Coordinates of all heavy atoms in Angstrom, one line a residue:
M28 N 6.9 10.2 12.7 CA 7.2 9.0 13.5 C 8.7 8.7 13.4 O 9.3 9.0 12.4 CB 6.4 7.8 13.0 CG 6.3 6.6 13.8 SD 5.0 6.9 15.0 CE 5.3 5.5 16.1
E29 N 9.3 8.2 14.4 CA 10.7 7.8 14.4 C 10.9 6.3 14.5 O 10.2 5.6 15.2 CB 11.3 8.5 15.6 CG 12.9 8.3 15.7 CD 13.5 9.0 16.8 OE1 13.1 10.2 17.1 OE2 14.4 8.4 17.4
Y30 N 11.8 5.9 13.6 CA 12.2 4.4 13.5 C 13.7 4.3 13.5 O 14.4 5.2 13.1 CB 11.6 3.8 12.3 CG 10.1 3.8 12.2 CD1 9.4 4.8 11.5 CD2 9.3 2.9 13.0 CE1 8.0 4.8 11.4 CE2 7.9 2.9 12.9 CZ 7.3 3.8 12.1 OH 6.0 3.9 12.1
D31 N 14.2 3.1 13.8 CA 15.5 2.7 13.6 C 15.5 1.7 12.5 O 14.7 0.9 12.4 CB 16.2 2.1 14.8 CG 16.5 3.2 15.9 OD1 16.6 4.4 15.6 OD2 16.6 2.8 17.1
L32 N 16.5 1.9 11.5 CA 16.6 1.1 10.4 C 17.9 0.3 10.5 O 18.9 0.9 10.5 CB 16.6 1.9 9.1 CG 15.4 2.8 8.9 CD1 15.6 3.6 7.6 CD2 14.1 2.1 8.8
I33 N 17.8 -1.0 10.5 CA 19.0 -1.9 10.6 C 19.3 -2.5 9.2 O 18.4 -3.2 8.7 CB 18.7 -3.0 11.6 CG1 18.4 -2.5 13.0 CG2 20.0 -3.9 11.7 CD1 17.9 -3.5 14.0
L34 N 20.4 -2.1 8.7 CA 20.8 -2.4 7.3 C 21.3 -3.9 7.2 O 22.2 -4.2 8.0 CB 21.8 -1.4 6.7 CG 22.2 -1.6 5.3 CD1 21.0 -1.4 4.3 CD2 23.3 -0.7 4.9
A35 N 20.7 -4.7 6.3 CA 21.2 -6.0 6.1 C 21.7 -6.1 4.6 O 21.2 -5.4 3.8 CB 20.1 -7.0 6.3
R36 N 22.6 -7.1 4.4 CA 23.2 -7.1 3.1 C 22.3 -7.8 2.0 O 22.6 -7.7 0.8 CB 24.6 -7.8 3.1 CG 24.5 -9.2 3.5 CD 25.9 -9.8 3.5 NE 25.9 -11.1 4.2 CZ 26.6 -11.4 5.3 NH1 27.3 -10.4 5.9 NH2 26.5 -12.5 5.9
S37 N 21.3 -8.5 2.4 CA 20.4 -9.2 1.5 C 19.1 -9.5 2.1 O 18.9 -9.3 3.3 CB 21.0 -10.6 1.1 OG 21.0 -11.5 2.2
V38 N 18.1 -9.9 1.3 CA 16.8 -10.1 1.8 C 16.8 -11.3 2.7 O 16.1 -11.3 3.8 CB 15.8 -10.3 0.7 CG1 16.0 -11.5 -0.1 CG2 14.3 -10.3 1.2
T39 N 17.6 -12.3 2.5 CA 17.7 -13.5 3.3 C 18.2 -13.1 4.7 O 17.7 -13.6 5.7 CB 18.6 -14.6 2.6 OG1 18.1 -14.9 1.4 CG2 18.7 -15.8 3.5
Y40 N 19.3 -12.3 4.7 CA 19.9 -11.9 6.0 C 18.9 -11.1 6.8 O 18.7 -11.3 8.0 CB 21.1 -11.1 5.6 CG 22.2 -11.0 6.7 CD1 23.0 -12.0 6.9 CD2 22.4 -9.8 7.4 CE1 24.0 -12.0 7.9 CE2 23.3 -9.7 8.4 CZ 24.2 -10.8 8.6 OH 25.2 -10.7 9.6
A41 N 18.1 -10.2 6.1 CA 17.1 -9.4 6.7 C 16.0 -10.2 7.3 O 15.5 -10.0 8.4 CB 16.6 -8.3 5.8
Q42 N 15.6 -11.3 6.5 CA 14.6 -12.2 7.0 C 15.0 -12.9 8.3 O 14.3 -13.1 9.2 CB 14.2 -13.2 5.9 CG 13.4 -12.5 4.8 CD 13.3 -13.5 3.6 OE1 14.1 -14.4 3.4 NE2 12.2 -13.2 2.8
R43 N 16.3 -13.3 8.3 CA 16.8 -14.0 9.5 C 16.8 -13.0 10.7 O 16.5 -13.4 11.8 CB 18.2 -14.5 9.2 CG 18.2 -15.7 8.3 CD 19.6 -16.1 8.0 NE 19.7 -17.2 7.1 CZ 20.7 -17.5 6.4 NH1 21.9 -16.9 6.5 NH2 20.6 -18.5 5.5
M44 N 17.2 -11.8 10.5 CA 17.1 -10.8 11.5 C 15.7 -10.6 12.0 O 15.5 -10.6 13.3 CB 17.6 -9.4 11.0 CG 19.1 -9.3 10.7 SD 19.4 -7.7 10.0 CE 21.1 -7.4 10.5
Q45 N 14.8 -10.5 11.1 CA 13.4 -10.3 11.6 C 12.9 -11.5 12.3 O 12.2 -11.3 13.4 CB 12.5 -10.1 10.3 CG 11.1 -9.7 10.6 CD 10.3 -9.4 9.4 OE1 10.4 -10.0 8.4 NE2 9.4 -8.5 9.5
R46 N 13.2 -12.7 12.0 CA 12.8 -13.9 12.7 C 13.4 -13.9 14.1 O 12.7 -14.2 15.1 CB 13.1 -15.2 12.0 CG 12.2 -15.5 10.9 CD 12.4 -16.9 10.4 NE 13.6 -17.2 9.7 CZ 13.9 -17.0 8.4 NH1 12.9 -16.5 7.6 NH2 15.1 -17.2 8.0
A47 N 14.7 -13.6 14.2 CA 15.3 -13.5 15.5 C 14.7 -12.5 16.5 O 14.4 -12.7 17.6 CB 16.8 -13.2 15.4
L48 N 14.4 -11.3 15.9 CA 13.7 -10.3 16.7 C 12.3 -10.7 17.1 O 11.9 -10.5 18.2 CB 13.7 -9.0 15.9 CG 15.1 -8.4 15.6 CD1 14.9 -7.2 14.7 CD2 15.8 -8.0 16.9
N49 N 11.6 -11.3 16.1 CA 10.2 -11.7 16.5 C 10.2 -12.8 17.6 O 9.3 -12.8 18.5 CB 9.5 -12.3 15.2 CG 9.1 -11.2 14.2 OD1 9.0 -10.1 14.6 ND2 8.9 -11.6 13.0
R50 N 11.2 -13.7 17.5 CA 11.3 -14.7 18.6 C 11.5 -14.1 20.0 O 11.0 -14.6 21.0 CB 12.4 -15.7 18.3 CG 12.1 -16.8 17.3 CD 13.1 -17.9 17.3 NE 14.4 -17.4 17.1 CZ 15.1 -17.3 15.9 NH1 14.4 -17.6 14.8 NH2 16.3 -16.9 15.8
A51 N 12.2 -12.9 20.0 CA 12.4 -12.2 21.2 C 11.3 -11.2 21.6 O 11.4 -10.5 22.6 CB 13.8 -11.4 21.1
G52 N 10.3 -11.2 20.8 CA 9.1 -10.3 21.1 C 9.3 -8.9 20.6 O 8.5 -8.0 21.0
I53 N 10.2 -8.7 19.7 CA 10.5 -7.3 19.2 C 9.8 -7.2 17.8 O 10.2 -8.0 16.9 CB 12.0 -7.0 19.1 CG1 12.6 -7.0 20.5 CG2 12.2 -5.7 18.4 CD1 14.1 -6.9 20.5
R54 N 8.9 -6.4 17.6 CA 8.2 -6.2 16.4 C 9.1 -5.5 15.4 O 9.8 -4.5 15.7 CB 6.9 -5.4 16.6 CG 5.9 -6.1 17.4 CD 4.6 -5.4 17.6 NE 4.1 -4.8 16.4 CZ 3.0 -4.1 16.3 NH1 2.4 -3.8 17.4 NH2 2.6 -3.6 15.1
S55 N 9.0 -5.9 14.1 CA 9.9 -5.3 13.1 C 9.2 -5.5 11.7 O 8.2 -6.3 11.6 CB 11.2 -6.1 13.0 OG 11.1 -7.4 12.7
Q56 N 9.6 -4.7 10.8 CA 9.1 -4.7 9.4 C 10.3 -4.8 8.5 O 11.4 -4.1 8.8 CB 8.3 -3.5 9.1 CG 7.0 -3.5 9.9 CD 6.2 -2.2 9.6 OE1 6.7 -1.1 9.8 NE2 4.9 -2.4 9.1
L57 N 10.1 -5.4 7.4 CA 11.2 -5.6 6.4 C 10.9 -4.7 5.2 O 9.8 -4.7 4.7 CB 11.2 -7.0 6.0 CG 12.3 -7.5 5.1 CD1 13.6 -7.5 5.8 CD2 12.0 -8.9 4.6
F58 N 12.0 -3.9 4.7 CA 11.8 -3.1 3.6 C 13.1 -3.2 2.7 O 14.2 -3.4 3.3 CB 11.6 -1.6 4.0 CG 10.3 -1.3 4.7 CD1 10.3 -1.3 6.1 CD2 9.2 -1.1 4.0 CE1 9.2 -1.0 6.8 CE2 8.0 -0.8 4.7 CZ 8.0 -0.8 6.1
R59 N 12.9 -2.9 1.4 CA 14.1 -2.7 0.6 C 14.8 -1.4 1.0 O 14.1 -0.4 1.3 CB 13.7 -2.6 -0.9 CG 14.8 -2.6 -1.8 CD 14.3 -3.0 -3.2 NE 15.3 -3.1 -4.1 CZ 16.1 -4.2 -4.3 NH1 15.8 -5.3 -3.6 NH2 17.1 -4.3 -5.2
A60 N 16.1 -1.4 1.1 CA 16.8 -0.2 1.5 C 16.7 0.9 0.5 O 16.8 0.7 -0.7 CB 18.3 -0.5 1.8
P61 N 16.5 2.1 1.0 CA 16.5 3.3 0.0 C 17.8 3.4 -0.7 O 18.9 3.1 -0.1 CB 16.3 4.5 0.9 CG 15.6 3.9 2.1 CD 16.1 2.6 2.3
R62 N 17.8 3.7 -2.0 CA 19.1 3.7 -2.8 C 20.2 4.6 -2.2 O 21.3 4.3 -2.3 CB 18.7 4.2 -4.1 CG 18.0 3.2 -5.0 CD 18.0 3.8 -6.4 NE 17.1 2.9 -7.3 CZ 17.6 2.0 -8.0 NH1 18.9 1.8 -8.1 NH2 16.8 1.2 -8.7
D63 N 19.8 5.7 -1.6 CA 20.8 6.6 -1.0 C 21.5 6.1 0.2 O 22.4 6.7 0.7 CB 20.3 8.0 -0.9 CG 19.1 8.0 0.0 OD1 18.4 7.0 0.1 OD2 18.8 9.1 0.6
L64 N 21.0 5.0 0.8 CA 21.6 4.4 2.0 C 22.8 3.5 1.8 O 23.6 3.3 2.6 CB 20.6 3.7 2.9 CG 19.5 4.5 3.5 CD1 18.7 3.5 4.4 CD2 20.0 5.7 4.2
T65 N 22.8 2.9 0.6 CA 23.8 1.8 0.3 C 24.2 1.8 -1.2 O 23.4 2.1 -2.0 CB 23.4 0.5 0.8 OG1 24.4 -0.5 0.6 CG2 22.1 0.0 0.2
D66 N 25.3 1.3 -1.4 CA 25.7 1.0 -2.8 C 25.5 -0.5 -3.1 O 25.8 -1.0 -4.2 CB 27.2 1.4 -3.1 CG 28.1 0.7 -2.1 OD1 27.7 0.0 -1.2 OD2 29.4 0.9 -2.3
L67 N 25.0 -1.3 -2.2 CA 24.7 -2.7 -2.4 C 23.3 -2.8 -3.1 O 22.3 -2.2 -2.6 CB 24.6 -3.4 -1.1 CG 25.9 -3.4 -0.2 CD1 25.6 -4.0 1.1 CD2 27.0 -4.1 -0.9
G68 N 23.3 -3.4 -4.2 CA 22.1 -3.5 -5.0 C 20.9 -4.2 -4.3 O 19.7 -3.8 -4.6
C69 N 21.2 -5.1 -3.5 CA 20.1 -6.0 -2.9 C 19.9 -5.8 -1.4 O 19.5 -6.7 -0.7 CB 20.3 -7.4 -3.3 SG 21.9 -8.1 -2.7
A70 N 20.4 -4.7 -0.9 CA 20.3 -4.5 0.6 C 18.9 -4.2 1.1 O 18.0 -3.7 0.3 CB 21.1 -3.3 1.0
Y71 N 18.6 -4.6 2.2 CA 17.3 -4.5 2.9 C 17.5 -3.9 4.3 O 18.6 -4.0 4.8 CB 16.5 -5.8 3.0 CG 15.9 -6.2 1.7 CD1 16.6 -6.7 0.6 CD2 14.5 -6.1 1.5 CE1 16.1 -7.0 -0.6 CE2 13.9 -6.4 0.3 CZ 14.7 -6.8 -0.8 OH 14.1 -7.2 -1.9
V72 N 16.4 -3.3 4.8 CA 16.4 -2.8 6.2 C 15.3 -3.5 7.0 O 14.3 -3.8 6.5 CB 16.3 -1.3 6.3 CG1 17.5 -0.6 5.7 CG2 15.0 -0.8 5.7
V73 N 15.6 -3.6 8.3 CA 14.6 -4.1 9.2 C 14.3 -2.9 10.1 O 15.2 -2.3 10.7 CB 15.2 -5.3 10.1 CG1 14.2 -5.7 11.1 CG2 15.5 -6.5 9.2
R74 N 13.1 -2.5 10.0 CA 12.6 -1.3 10.8 C 12.1 -1.7 12.1 O 11.2 -2.6 12.2 CB 11.6 -0.5 10.0 CG 11.2 0.8 10.6 CD 10.3 1.6 9.7 NE 8.9 1.1 9.8 CZ 7.9 1.6 9.2 NH1 8.1 2.6 8.4 NH2 6.7 1.2 9.4
I75 N 12.6 -1.0 13.2 CA 12.1 -1.3 14.6 C 11.9 0.0 15.3 O 12.3 1.1 14.8 CB 13.0 -2.1 15.4 CG1 14.4 -1.4 15.6 CG2 13.2 -3.5 14.7 CD1 15.3 -2.2 16.5
S76 N 11.2 0.0 16.4 CA 11.0 1.1 17.2 C 12.4 1.5 17.8 O 13.2 0.6 18.2 CB 10.0 0.8 18.3 OG 10.1 1.8 19.4
P77 N 12.7 2.8 18.0 CA 13.9 3.2 18.6 C 14.0 2.7 20.1 O 15.1 2.5 20.6 CB 13.9 4.7 18.6 CG 12.5 5.1 18.3 CD 11.9 4.0 17.6
Y78 N 12.9 2.4 20.7 CA 12.9 1.9 22.1 C 13.4 0.5 22.1 O 13.8 0.0 23.2 CB 11.5 2.0 22.7 CG 10.9 3.4 22.7 CD1 9.9 3.7 21.8 CD2 11.5 4.4 23.5 CE1 9.4 5.0 21.8 CE2 11.0 5.7 23.5 CZ 9.9 6.0 22.6 OH 9.5 7.3 22.6
D79 N 13.4 -0.2 21.0 CA 13.8 -1.6 21.0 C 15.2 -1.8 20.5 O 15.7 -3.0 20.6 CB 12.9 -2.4 20.0 CG 11.5 -2.6 20.6 OD1 11.3 -2.6 21.8 OD2 10.5 -2.6 19.7
L80 N 15.9 -0.8 20.1 CA 17.3 -1.0 19.6 C 18.2 -1.5 20.6 O 19.0 -2.4 20.3 CB 17.8 0.3 19.0 CG 19.1 0.3 18.3 CD1 19.0 -0.6 17.1 CD2 19.7 1.6 18.0
G81 N 18.2 -1.1 21.8 CA 19.1 -1.6 22.9 C 18.9 -3.1 23.1 O 19.9 -3.7 23.4
A82 N 17.8 -3.6 23.0 CA 17.5 -5.0 23.2 C 17.8 -5.8 21.9 O 18.2 -6.9 21.9 CB 16.1 -5.3 23.6
A83 N 17.6 -5.2 20.7 CA 17.7 -5.8 19.5 C 19.1 -6.2 19.1 O 19.4 -7.3 18.6 CB 17.0 -5.0 18.3
L84 N 20.0 -5.2 19.3 CA 21.4 -5.4 18.9 C 22.1 -6.6 19.5 O 22.7 -7.4 18.8 CB 22.2 -4.1 19.1 CG 21.9 -3.0 18.2 CD1 22.7 -1.7 18.5 CD2 22.0 -3.3 16.7
P85 N 22.0 -6.8 20.8 CA 22.6 -8.0 21.4 C 22.0 -9.3 20.9 O 22.7 -10.3 20.7 CB 22.3 -7.9 22.9 CG 22.1 -6.5 23.2 CD 21.5 -6.0 21.9
I86 N 20.7 -9.3 20.6 CA 20.1 -10.5 20.0 C 20.6 -10.8 18.7 O 21.0 -11.9 18.4 CB 18.5 -10.3 20.0 CG1 17.9 -10.2 21.4 CG2 17.9 -11.3 19.1 CD1 16.5 -9.6 21.4
L87 N 20.7 -9.8 17.8 CA 21.3 -10.0 16.5 C 22.7 -10.4 16.5 O 23.1 -11.3 15.8 CB 21.1 -8.7 15.7 CG 19.7 -8.3 15.4 CD1 19.6 -7.0 14.7 CD2 18.9 -9.4 14.6
R88 N 23.5 -9.9 17.4 CA 24.9 -10.2 17.5 C 25.1 -11.7 18.0 O 25.9 -12.4 17.5 CB 25.7 -9.2 18.4 CG 25.8 -7.9 17.6 CD 26.8 -6.9 18.4 NE 26.9 -5.7 17.7 CZ 26.5 -4.5 18.1 NH1 26.0 -4.4 19.4 NH2 26.6 -3.4 17.4
R89 N 24.3 -12.0 18.9 CA 24.3 -13.4 19.5 C 24.0 -14.4 18.4 O 24.5 -15.5 18.4 CB 23.3 -13.5 20.7 CG 23.4 -14.8 21.4 CD 22.6 -14.9 22.7 NE 21.2 -14.4 22.5 CZ 20.7 -13.3 23.1 NH1 21.4 -12.6 23.9 NH2 19.4 -13.0 22.9
E90 N 23.1 -14.1 17.5 CA 22.6 -14.9 16.4 C 23.6 -14.8 15.2 O 23.4 -15.5 14.2 CB 21.2 -14.5 15.9 CG 20.2 -14.7 16.9 CD 19.7 -16.2 17.1 OE1 19.8 -16.9 16.1 OE2 19.3 -16.5 18.2
G91 N 24.7 -14.0 15.3 CA 25.6 -13.9 14.2 C 25.1 -13.0 13.1 O 25.4 -13.2 11.9
L92 N 24.1 -12.1 13.4 CA 23.4 -11.3 12.4 C 23.7 -9.8 12.6 O 22.8 -9.0 12.5 CB 22.0 -11.6 12.4 CG 21.5 -13.0 12.2 CD1 20.0 -13.2 12.6 CD2 21.8 -13.4 10.7
G93 N 24.9 -9.5 13.0 CA 25.3 -8.0 13.2 C 24.9 -7.2 12.0 O 25.1 -7.6 10.9
P94 N 24.4 -6.0 12.2 CA 24.0 -5.1 11.1 C 25.2 -4.5 10.4 O 26.3 -4.4 11.0 CB 23.2 -4.0 11.8 CG 23.7 -4.0 13.2 CD 24.1 -5.4 13.5
L95 N 25.0 -4.2 9.1 CA 26.0 -3.4 8.4 C 26.1 -2.0 8.9 O 27.2 -1.5 9.1 CB 25.7 -3.4 6.9 CG 25.7 -4.8 6.2 CD1 25.3 -4.6 4.7 CD2 27.1 -5.3 6.2
R96 N 24.9 -1.4 9.0 CA 24.8 0.0 9.5 C 23.4 0.1 10.2 O 22.5 -0.6 10.0 CB 24.9 1.0 8.4 CG 26.2 1.1 7.7 CD 26.3 2.2 6.7 NE 27.3 1.9 5.8 CZ 27.1 1.7 4.5 NH1 25.9 1.8 4.0 NH2 28.1 1.4 3.7
I97 N 23.3 1.2 11.0 CA 22.0 1.5 11.6 C 21.8 3.0 11.3 O 22.6 3.9 11.4 CB 22.1 1.3 13.1 CG1 22.4 -0.1 13.4 CG2 20.8 1.7 13.8 CD1 22.7 -0.4 14.9
Y98 N 20.5 3.3 11.0 CA 20.0 4.6 10.6 C 18.8 5.0 11.5 O 18.1 4.1 11.9 CB 19.6 4.7 9.2 CG 20.7 4.4 8.2 CD1 21.0 3.1 7.8 CD2 21.5 5.5 7.7 CE1 22.0 2.9 6.9 CE2 22.5 5.2 6.8 CZ 22.8 4.0 6.4 OH 23.8 3.7 5.5
V99 N 18.7 6.3 11.7 CA 17.5 6.8 12.4 C 16.6 7.5 11.4 O 17.2 8.3 10.6 CB 17.9 7.8 13.5 CG1 16.7 8.4 14.1 CG2 18.7 7.1 14.6
Q100 N 15.4 7.1 11.3 CA 14.5 7.8 10.4 C 13.5 8.6 11.2 O 12.7 8.1 12.0 CB 13.7 6.7 9.6 CG 12.7 7.3 8.6 CD 11.9 6.3 7.9 OE1 11.9 5.1 8.2 NE2 11.3 6.7 6.8
R101 N 13.5 9.9 10.9 CA 12.5 10.8 11.5 C 11.8 11.5 10.4 O 12.3 12.4 9.6 CB 13.3 11.9 12.3 CG 13.9 11.4 13.5 CD 14.5 12.5 14.4 NE 15.2 12.0 15.5 CZ 16.5 11.9 15.7 NH1 17.2 12.3 14.7 NH2 17.0 11.4 16.7
G102 N 10.5 11.2 10.2 CA 9.8 11.6 9.1 C 10.4 11.2 7.8 O 10.7 10.1 7.6
G103 N 10.8 12.2 6.9 CA 11.4 11.9 5.7 C 12.9 11.9 5.8 O 13.6 11.6 4.8
D104 N 13.5 12.3 6.9 CA 15.0 12.4 7.1 C 15.5 11.1 7.6 O 15.0 10.5 8.6 CB 15.3 13.5 8.0 CG 14.9 14.9 7.5 OD1 14.9 15.1 6.2 OD2 14.7 15.8 8.3
I105 N 16.7 10.7 7.0 CA 17.3 9.5 7.5 C 18.8 9.8 7.8 O 19.4 10.4 6.9 CB 17.2 8.3 6.4 CG1 15.8 7.9 6.2 CG2 18.0 7.1 6.9 CD1 15.6 6.9 5.1
Q106 N 19.3 9.5 9.0 CA 20.7 9.8 9.3 C 21.3 8.5 9.9 O 20.7 7.7 10.6 CB 20.7 10.9 10.4 CG 20.2 12.2 9.9 CD 20.2 13.2 11.0 OE1 20.3 12.9 12.2 NE2 20.2 14.5 10.7
E107 N 22.6 8.4 9.5 CA 23.3 7.2 10.0 C 23.7 7.4 11.5 O 24.0 8.5 12.0 CB 24.6 7.0 9.2 CG 25.4 5.7 9.6 CD 26.5 5.4 8.7 OE1 26.8 6.2 7.7 OE2 27.2 4.4 8.9
M108 N 23.6 6.3 12.2 CA 23.9 6.2 13.6 C 25.2 5.4 13.7 O 25.5 4.5 13.0 CB 22.8 5.3 14.3 CG 22.3 5.8 15.5 SD 21.1 4.6 16.0 CE 20.6 5.3 17.5
G109 N 26.0 5.7 14.7 CA 27.3 5.0 14.9 C 26.9 3.6 15.5 O 26.0 3.5 16.3
L110 N 27.7 2.6 15.1 CA 27.6 1.3 15.8 C 28.4 1.3 17.0 O 28.5 0.7 17.9 CB 28.1 0.2 14.9 CG 27.2 -0.1 13.7 CD1 27.9 -1.2 12.8 CD2 25.8 -0.7 14.1

């Protein structure tokens, strides 16, 4: 399965992202960021469908919740995507 992972700097920031996406009808899940993705100790990711990324980014930016980074997860492989 393929997902997009939107990196947030804290659990609170990720929760705000998730609420903004939910209000817009975009389903998301919240997870602790894998250690190899960030050197921030408390970073979290919001996982969404890759089909929703184009709609999600403007919503997050409008809410002042721009992501730190975006990753693509395909099976067990995770690769950084350019912003």
Side-chain angles (χ1 to χ4, degrees):
M28 194 85 190
E29 185 174 320
Y30 298 101
D31 288 339
L32 306 175
I33 302 171
L34 185 66
R36 65 177 167 246
S37 69
V38 67
T39 303
Y40 204 75
Q42 289 168 336
R43 289 177 184 163
M44 288 176 154
Q45 188 177 36
R46 279 194 296 271
L48 294 174
N49 287 342
R50 281 193 305 269
I53 298 174
R54 293 178 50 181
S55 63
Q56 293 178 303
L57 186 69
F58 294 97
R59 190 162 183 84
R62 285 188 188 264
D63 55 336
L64 293 188
T65 180
D66 55 356
L67 302 173
C69 58
Y71 279 75
V72 294
V73 176
R74 185 174 82 175
I75 63 172
S76 165
Y78 302 108
D79 291 329
L80 184 64
L84 290 178
I86 292 165
L87 295 175
R88 288 188 180 117
R89 185 172 53 244
E90 296 283 330
L92 300 168
L95 293 175
R96 292 187 203 116
I97 300 172
Y98 296 90
V99 175
Q100 179 181 17
R101 290 186 185 104
D104 295 331
I105 298 175
Q106 296 179 341
E107 186 171 0
M108 223 181 180
L110 287 176

